Each structure stands twice: as structure tokens, then as C-alpha cells.
Amino acid sequence: VFEAMDEDLAKPLGFQDWDLSRHRYTGNVSRSMHPAYHFHLSTRDMARIGYLMLRKGKWEDKQIIAKDWHRKMIAVSTKPEETGKKKKFGYGYMWWLYNDQDPALKGAYAAHGAMGQYITIIPELDMVIAHKTDAIYGRKTKSSRYQRFVRKVIATKEQ
């Protein structure tokens, strides 16, 4: 998985802080046959992924992610009422899909990572928000707090 990330995304997008040797999978195979693949990404490399998604899988002049696959990734596979996220989000393929009446969030989606790492794509505003919490300091940004931050950013953009 990490080698595929290196070849398919990190190199083509020019990740600045990517170090393939930092990544390991972990897990207890007695509890699950699926190990966890924790990625260590900098905020600016997270933003590159967001920008790739905002541009529908295209980076500069090259289609990195097929347009059809991009559409499938951000289409509802799990309805908001089935996600347990207070009906605020549906779910696609690895992306949380905003289920919001705010016109600015129409078509918006986000990746939510451990300890308060988020990549949010807001197509209506041509915007990507990359947010990272440094867990080494014992900090975590809860989703509700991050969503308030997103609203403030949107309000600033709309002024």
C-alpha cells in the first residue's frame, strides 16, 4: 500500500515531506485480518491530495486519478442516516460527503484522519482546507470543533 502511494501519488504530486521508510502497518491479527495502514503526511502534502481531488483527479496536465473513479469516490455509498455521524455526512469511497443545506457546502467532501487530521474539498468555493493536529503534544481536534472552523473559513471567503 505504501509503495503504491509512493508511485501513484507522492512522486507525481511532488510531495515535499514524504518519506517511504516512516510508514508501517500495525494491527492485531487475532482481532482483525485487516491491518491498519497509518500514513504520515505533512499538511502541505495533504493539501496536494486535496487539490488533486478538487481538480477531479488531474494534476497539472496529467490525469492521475481516472475521472470515472473520482466520481465514484465521492458518490454516496453509505447514506447519511446510516453513518452514525448525526446525519451530517454520507460516505463514499474513503471520503465523508457533506449532507448540508449550506449552498457553499454543496458537493463538499472530506477525509478525516486520526487525532484531528482533515482534508476538506469545497468545490463551490474552489477551496481546499488541510488541517493537521500534532498528536505528539497530546492534542486532538474533534470533528465538531473542526466543522466550526470550516464554517468560519467559509464565512471569510464569502465576505
Side-chain angles (χ1 to χ4, degrees):
V1 170
F2 302 121
E3 288 83 7
M5 177 77 161
D6 186 59
E7 289 298 318
D8 297 342
L9 291 177
K11 287 177 180 171
L13 301 182
F15 280 10
Q16 291 177 274
D17 306 300
W18 176 257
D19 180 356
L20 186 58
S21 69
R22 291 188 65 207
H23 308 283
R24 304 268 185 280
Y25 63 78
T26 61
N28 181 343
V29 292
S30 68
R31 296 182 72 195
S32 174
M33 61 187 238
H34 305 287
Y37 292 85
H38 297 284
F39 285 86
H40 301 279
L41 300 174
S42 67
T43 309
R44 63 183 168 189
D45 290 342
M46 290 166 54
R48 288 171 186 267
I49 292 171
Y51 192 77
L52 175 70
M53 292 299 291
L54 179 66
R55 296 293 175 246
K56 300 178 182 172
K58 192 171 186 177
W59 187 260
E60 296 174 348
D61 294 329
K62 187 174 180 188
Q63 194 70 41
I64 303 293
I65 299 171
K67 285 183 182 181
D68 187 50
W69 182 246
H70 176 270
R71 274 192 298 275
K72 288 178 182 178
M73 288 169 51
I74 59 171
V76 175
S77 61
T78 305
K79 296 175 185 173
E81 57 272 13
E82 297 170 343
T83 66
K85 292 269 189 177
K86 299 180 183 176
K87 299 183 185 180
K88 291 182 181 181
F89 297 96
Y91 199 66
Y93 295 163
M94 304 301 291
W95 293 93
W96 291 100
L97 314 171
Y98 280 80
N99 181 35
D100 200 296
Q101 301 306 312
D102 185 333
L105 289 172
K106 180 181 179 216
Y109 51 98
H112 296 186
M115 303 304 290
Q117 299 175 94
Y118 302 94
I119 305 170
T120 301
I121 293 84
I122 307 172
E124 290 294 315
L125 298 177
D126 194 36
M127 180 185 290
V128 171
I129 302 170
H131 178 278
K132 186 172 180 89
T133 302
D134 196 340
I136 196 166
Y137 299 111
R139 297 179 187 147
K140 179 179 180 181
T141 303
K142 292 182 181 181
S143 180
S144 59
R145 188 173 196 184
Y146 176 72
Q147 295 312 320
R148 287 193 302 272
F149 169 74
V150 168
R151 297 268 181 212
K152 288 179 182 180
V153 171
I154 288 171
T156 301
K157 174 79 173 176
E158 293 175 338
Q159 292 179 358

